[in-house]
Amino acid sequence: MNIRTLSNLLLKTYKTPPLIQICGFKHFPAPPSYDHIKMPDRTKLTIIEKVPQYPPGLRPPKMQKRLRYMRGAETLHNFLLYKQYGIVALTGGRLKWIHFEMMRLAIGRAMDTQRMFALWRVDAPWQPVTKRGQGQRLGGGKGAIDHYVTPIKAGRVILELGGKCEYAEVQDFLHKVAMKLPFKAMAVSHQMLEKIRLKEEEDERNNVNPYTMKYVIQNNMGGCHRWLSPFDLKWFCKHT
């Protein structure tokens, strides 16, 4: 006689339902399967060169600031290739070589190389930044190259981490690394990125206020074109 038959029989016999206890009955869900994950040959982050290598005889070119490389939203590298975990930039900024080394050493110490892997999603420092010596007179042309940087836009995936692991295992040290970057960043998983994207689409679809920032700027309400920057006219006061 099973438990359900016994309980029905007792309910017919007694007016009030009796207390039935099942001692020692436990149900644990099966652990997740990682059979579909293939580990690459190199599991750690590669070493990034401090200075780009130019052909022999070529003088390293100098460059303007070109802040447009950091402004706006990233439209290409804004998703996770392996659909697991990573670090995403929330605002624009620049990465120096010392930031690459900080991320490589911190993640290399914390991750388990037997069942985890990490890879870069950004290029090595390539944009030259010039600097004049302190106390020098103005003039004399552009200064010498001091260091190289990598410009980052908002929404850019900086690195990915995956393997046979859960997000709770890697969240702590990914968050610490993200907090040390020179711009706002956060540790994310593939599910988190999908929730953020769906939330933005839902908010835009269910918005009942017709006077959105895009509508106000496109119709020049209040003469806002007099004090808005060209980037506000393009991004509608986002990613500033």
Side-chain angles (χ1 to χ4, degrees):
M1 182 182 297
N2 55 16
I3 299 298
R4 182 174 297 178
T5 306
L6 179 61
S7 61
N8 293 335
L9 180 61
L10 293 175
L11 285 175
K12 293 179 180 179
T13 307
Y14 302 96
K15 295 182 180 180
T16 58
L19 180 63
I20 302 176
Q21 295 181 352
I22 304 175
C23 299
F25 180 76
K26 295 180 177 63
H27 173 70
F28 297 102
S33 175
Y34 301 106
D35 297 336
H36 62 285
I37 297 177
K38 295 182 180 179
M39 299 290 292
D41 297 334
R42 186 181 180 90
T43 57
K44 288 189 176 183
L45 294 172
T46 57
I47 299 176
I48 298 297
E49 294 183 350
K50 192 173 184 178
V51 178
Q53 299 297 324
Y54 293 102
L58 178 62
R59 187 176 182 180
K62 299 177 183 179
M63 189 180 296
Q64 298 174 341
K65 289 184 179 180
R66 300 186 183 180
L67 300 180
R68 61 182 180 272
Y69 292 163
M70 300 182 294
R71 288 173 170 164
E74 178 65 37
T75 58
L76 184 60
H77 301 280
N78 54 5
F79 61 94
L80 298 174
L81 292 175
Y82 291 89
K83 298 183 179 181
Q84 286 193 284
Y85 325 113
I87 297 178
V88 176
L90 301 179
T91 59
R94 287 174 171 175
L95 286 176
K96 297 182 180 179
W97 176 80
I98 190 172
H99 300 128
F100 283 94
E101 281 295 291
M102 178 272 298
M103 291 186 284
R104 184 181 68 87
L105 295 176
I107 293 179
R109 295 191 193 102
M111 65 182 292
D112 185 1
T113 57
Q114 300 297 325
R115 55 189 183 89
M116 300 180 189
F117 65 90
L119 54 92
W120 297 112
R121 289 292 303 276
V122 292
D123 301 325
W126 60 270
Q127 185 180 12
V129 177
T130 58
K131 185 178 181 181
R132 300 289 296 271
Q134 189 174 8
Q136 290 187 1
R137 288 178 177 269
L138 296 178
K142 195 169 180 63
I145 295 177
D146 182 68
H147 60 277
Y148 291 85
V149 297
T150 300
I152 301 294
K153 289 187 176 183
R156 177 67 183 263
V157 178
I158 300 174
L159 60 88
E160 281 195 50
L161 191 143
K164 303 177 181 179
C165 57
E166 292 292 327
Y167 180 63
E169 301 179 53
V170 302
Q171 180 184 9
D172 187 31
F173 64 84
L174 285 181
H175 175 73
K176 291 180 180 179
V177 170
M179 292 298 103
K180 294 179 182 179
L181 293 177
F183 44 81
K184 292 183 179 180
M186 65 179 297
V188 297
S189 63
H190 178 68
Q191 290 77 13
M192 292 173 60
L193 287 180
E194 289 297 318
K195 287 183 180 179
I196 293 174
R197 182 182 60 83
L198 294 176
K199 182 68 165 56
E200 292 177 354
E201 294 178 356
E202 183 181 0
D203 292 344
E204 185 177 358
R205 184 171 57 253
N206 298 332
N207 183 24
V208 296
N209 184 10
Y211 296 100
T212 61
M213 186 62 67
K214 181 178 180 180
Y215 180 86
V216 170
I217 293 177
Q218 287 181 343
N219 293 274
N220 193 21
M221 299 186 67
C224 59
H225 286 185
R226 292 177 298 176
W227 50 269
L228 285 176
S229 69
F231 296 98
D232 293 330
L233 298 176
K234 181 179 181 180
W235 301 105
F236 308 114
C237 295
K238 293 182 179 180
H239 316 295
T240 55

